[in-house]
Amino acid sequence: MTRESYINAGLTFLLVLVPFWAWSTGQAYILTLCTKVAILALAGVGLNIALGLGGLVSFGHAAFFGIGGYAMGILASHAQTFDPIMDWPILIEGTKSMPVIWLVAVVASSLAALLIGALSLRTSGVYFIMITLAFGQMLYYFTIGWPAYGGEDGLSIYVRNSFPGLNTLVPVQFLILSYVVLGLALLFSARLARAPFGLALTAARQNADRVETVGIAPYRLRLVAFVISGSITGLAGALFADLNRFISPTMFSWHTSGEIMIFVILGGVGRLYGPVAGAALFILLEHLLGGVSEYWKIFLGALLLAVVLFARGGLIGTLAGREVAHG
Amino acid sequence: MTFLLFAEQMLNGLQFGIMLFLMAAGLTLVFGVMGLINLAHGSLYMIGAFAAAAVAGATGSFVLALIASLAAAAAAGALIELTVIRRLYKRDHLDQVLATFALILILSEGTRWVFGSFPLYLDVPSYLSGPVTLPGGIQYPLYRLAIIVAGLVVAGGLFALIARTRIGIQIRAGEADREMIAALGIDISRLYTLVFALGAALAGLAGALVGAIQSVQVGMGEPVLILAFVVIVIGGIGSIKGALVGALLVGMTDTMGGVLLPRFFALFLDPSAATTVGASLGSMLIYILMAVVLIMRPSGLYGSA
């Protein structure tokens, strides 16, 4: 085992221990915080596939996070009022069932990622950063101006959606559900990185010309990676909306894109557990410093600056030593 | 739609475009010369507006307020460049995006800490308030007309600075070949600080000028920053001419789209639906414009790469 896998094991242990302790002492608030870590980490796992493996600096992942959230909001609000989403040409009703909502969130965000990716990947470098940012903002302004689902004020869903066999209103059950989804995404992400597709994607990040020379089109690799990345972040958006039982255009704002990126960077770009470590650190800081000062984002900014300037591998990179898999 | 209303909206679009140019000029200069993508540019806009509001509140003089906005933003820009930004020139764009995003968090929350969360107000001076009648019977606020003129003068000055002066030659040479101008004995790090401070001063001036129309508050720089990015991406990153064309294009599209689209949809939709669809599409219009430009020309209208 490498030092990184020991760190990952330690993190997993901590992430299980803390909620177990909170559950046994009846601290529902801590359970909610842990759920939030898992869901935000999931969004980061999605971005990490594009950013860490593919080297695609997407500053617009809030678009997919928001689409996932709005998929949940639209389906659940129609189910809440028993008002079908459309009745022509086919009848589509709202639903409160999480598996269906997740499926819709994943499909909708993949389609969006396919469209945004197909256009954005024609550019590279700063232009790619900017065009992804612009697509995110486009959806942000669209949802602000779209009154059907709350417009600028957002929309509340009164009862959390249901999952067969579980009572999702019990914090610990929703927590376990989120952990399982995160675990599956991590497993998928680890397998993806070692699969031929992941290796080709990594190679395309390091030297696109050589990959092209051996007969693989980097554009298609990147597009597929972008779609997978967007769909996982979209799923996280649906879960996040369910955690808060609220959706609003803020989910689409560029601050959300920046924060998802912060999770990945604080933890370590391209590291399997990077987003998990980053999201945990972010929530920990928000919780600890937020209690000390309402201006806690000054400290977050200073920390982020320090990580970028001096500790370039993020938390895991600093602890695990030199970069192993990613150059 | 009457001619008068149309003309007035054209002027609004022009005014918006000119202000966007002041923001975009600094961004595109910094990118062209130093290869740096600076998200914190919107914070310098905010600092300029706050400095102007504070000085205007203390002295009552609008001219002093404008001078303060230039000085404060330039000083803040130079300070940021010396402490943080110069470590980022050799880094990749991801590091630059993150570090300058961190600067936004620090500067925004720092400003909130000093000035509080409530907006400040910067009053239009009495000699620039009220409407003025233009040829053709167009009534237009004098202050907005003044900022169009001021913006055009500054833009002209900037073009003259870059085309005619020694500093301008160094800036253009820096864009073309960094090593070479360092080898010719020009203090490149001093040039970088200067360019950064110049861009910051322009952003600060824009913040102060716009601050008198809108309120001065934390976060005011962010929507403008993103629009300025759209501008330089459309114009081609690094090109001042592209920034001017892009700024006018974005300013006009945004203003005219917001006015014309609801009227266009009213032709075949009922009024409330037309307003809704028109307004949401209007706010998306510049991003659609940007996507179209990038698909046609992946490095912008005047981009070189």
Side-chain angles (χ1 to χ4, degrees):
Chain A
M1 271 171 72
T2 62
R3 206 196 290 180
E4 187 179 337
S5 41
Y6 282 114
I7 295 170
N8 293 353
L11 261 173
T12 312
F13 179 68
L14 264 180
L15 278 176
V16 173
L17 188 72
V18 171
F20 189 76
W21 163 76
W23 174 68
S24 57
T25 53
Q27 300 181 72
Y29 178 61
I30 306 276
L31 287 178
T32 307
L33 281 186
C34 291
T35 316
K36 199 171 167 188
V37 168
I39 294 171
L40 294 179
L42 181 66
V45 168
L47 178 63
N48 207 13
I49 291 175
L51 185 64
L53 286 182
L56 307 171
V57 185
S58 163
F59 207 164
H61 258 52
F64 313 123
F65 195 68
I67 286 173
Y70 270 73
M72 174 278 186
I74 291 169
L75 288 170
S77 70
H78 281 280
Q80 192 163 272
T81 54
F82 301 101
D83 172 32
I85 296 173
M86 60 197 277
D87 45 19
W88 187 90
I90 44 163
L91 179 72
I92 299 180
E93 304 232 34
T95 176
K96 296 285 285 179
S97 159
M98 276 192 200
V100 179
I101 289 173
W102 293 353
L103 186 70
V104 172
V106 166
V107 169
S109 47
S110 330
L111 286 177
L114 184 67
L115 191 68
I116 293 176
L119 296 175
S120 309
L121 285 167
R122 294 169 56 99
T123 65
S124 60
V126 192
Y127 289 97
F128 181 79
I129 301 178
M130 290 301 133
I131 196 169
T132 48
L133 173 65
F135 277 116
Q137 287 300 107
M138 195 151 104
L139 288 169
Y140 173 68
Y141 286 114
F142 176 75
T143 43
I144 283 186
W146 191 29
Y149 299 100
E152 197 166 1
D153 301 326
L155 182 69
S156 284
I157 302 299
Y158 301 108
V159 181
R160 188 170 284 155
N161 296 306
S162 58
F163 193 90
L166 290 178
N167 179 1
T168 52
L169 283 170
V170 177
V172 74
Q173 298 203 11
F174 189 57
L175 173 116
I176 290 170
L177 194 61
S178 309
Y179 268 41
V180 169
V181 175
L182 174 65
L184 290 175
L186 283 171
L187 205 64
F188 173 75
S189 172
R191 293 295 299 258
L192 189 77
R194 283 177 201 171
F197 172 78
L199 294 176
L201 186 63
T202 306
R205 184 190 77 228
Q206 289 165 346
N207 193 331
D209 291 341
R210 286 193 185 174
V211 170
E212 208 160 358
T213 314
V214 297
I216 305 173
Y219 178 83
R220 286 175 59 190
L221 277 179
R222 289 177 179 148
L223 186 57
V224 173
F226 196 75
V227 169
I228 295 174
S229 168
S231 65
I232 295 179
T233 304
L235 179 59
L239 277 166
F240 191 73
D242 236 328
L243 174 71
N244 298 325
R245 278 168 277 167
F246 178 68
I247 55 165
S248 79
T250 317
M251 292 186 82
F252 283 105
S253 91
W254 72 298
H255 271 266
T256 306
S257 295
E259 280 174 8
I260 300 175
M261 212 186 248
I262 289 177
F263 306 146
V264 177
I265 306 301
L266 276 185
V269 186
R271 305 277 181 172
L272 177 63
Y273 263 62
V276 181
L281 189 62
F282 185 88
I283 296 297
L284 195 68
L285 283 175
E286 184 177 31
H287 183 60
L288 293 180
L289 295 174
V292 178
S293 158
E294 63 175 302
Y295 308 110
W296 74 279
K297 285 201 168 164
I298 294 184
F299 303 105
L300 176 69
L303 178 75
L304 180 62
L305 201 56
V307 167
V308 173
L309 291 181
F310 307 113
R312 300 187 60 187
L315 193 65
I316 293 186
T318 309
L319 294 176
R322 67 187 182 84
E323 294 195 25
V324 189
H326 301 281
Chain B
M1 187 169 183
T2 64
F3 165 74
L4 287 184
L5 186 61
F6 188 77
E8 192 187 327
Q9 294 300 336
M10 290 290 278
L11 284 171
N12 279 342
L14 181 65
Q15 179 252 313
F16 188 36
I18 298 278
M19 288 301 106
L20 282 178
F21 171 70
L22 291 186
M23 273 294 279
L27 270 183
T28 206
L29 265 184
V30 166
F31 189 84
V33 179
M34 290 96 107
L36 178 99
I37 167 171
N38 176 25
L39 296 183
H41 205 62
S43 301
L44 298 164
Y45 173 89
M46 175 187 76
I47 287 171
F50 270 93
V55 168
T59 65
S61 161
F62 191 70
V63 175
L64 280 181
L66 288 187
I67 294 170
S69 73
L70 283 167
L79 183 71
I80 293 170
E81 202 276 340
L82 290 171
T83 51
V84 177
I85 301 286
R86 61 173 42 186
R87 297 167 197 271
L88 297 169
Y89 294 142
K90 291 196 173 137
R91 299 294 190 83
D92 59 19
H93 293 314
L94 175 62
D95 283 356
Q96 296 173 350
V97 163
L98 286 162
T100 52
F101 189 78
L103 282 176
I104 294 183
L105 294 177
I106 296 172
L107 292 172
S108 288
E109 292 303 306
T111 309
R112 198 194 304 278
W113 185 53
V114 174
F115 288 97
S117 296
F118 292 103
L120 301 181
Y121 293 95
L122 179 60
D123 290 327
V124 172
S126 56
Y127 49 87
L128 286 178
S129 60
V132 62
T133 307
L134 295 175
I138 307 158
Q139 293 266 324
Y140 199 68
L142 179 59
Y143 181 73
R144 282 180 185 262
L145 200 65
I147 58 181
I148 292 176
V149 173
L152 286 174
V153 169
V154 172
L158 188 65
F159 276 102
L161 177 83
I162 287 173
R164 304 243 178 265
T165 64
R166 193 162 187 84
I167 290 285
I169 292 170
Q170 292 177 0
I171 290 174
R172 279 181 289 142
E175 284 182 34
D177 192 331
R178 271 172 244 184
E179 281 82 19
M180 196 63 203
I181 72 158
L184 288 172
I186 288 154
D187 185 349
I188 193 116
S189 56
R190 208 186 53 133
L191 179 69
Y192 283 1
T193 312
L194 198 70
V195 169
F196 198 84
L198 174 69
L202 291 177
L205 178 66
L209 289 174
V210 174
I213 306 180
Q214 299 163 355
S215 59
V216 174
Q217 57 189 334
V218 173
M220 65 185 284
E222 293 176 8
V224 188
L225 170 81
I226 292 176
L227 289 180
F229 272 123
V230 172
V231 164
I232 67 172
V233 165
I234 288 177
I237 304 179
S239 159
I240 292 277
K241 193 166 113 194
L244 183 61
V245 173
L248 294 176
L249 210 55
V250 167
M252 284 293 178
T253 309
D254 194 52
T255 310
M256 299 314 281
V259 178
L260 293 179
L261 276 177
R263 287 162 197 268
F264 171 72
F265 283 107
L267 296 179
F268 46 86
L269 290 174
D270 66 276
S272 72
T275 312
T276 313
V277 175
S280 11
L281 205 62
S283 56
M284 292 166 70
L285 206 57
I286 51 165
Y287 300 103
I288 297 171
L289 175 73
M290 168 175 166
V292 170
V293 168
L294 279 192
I295 291 157
M296 311 287 279
R297 294 182 64 100
S299 49
L301 294 175
Y302 294 93
S304 46

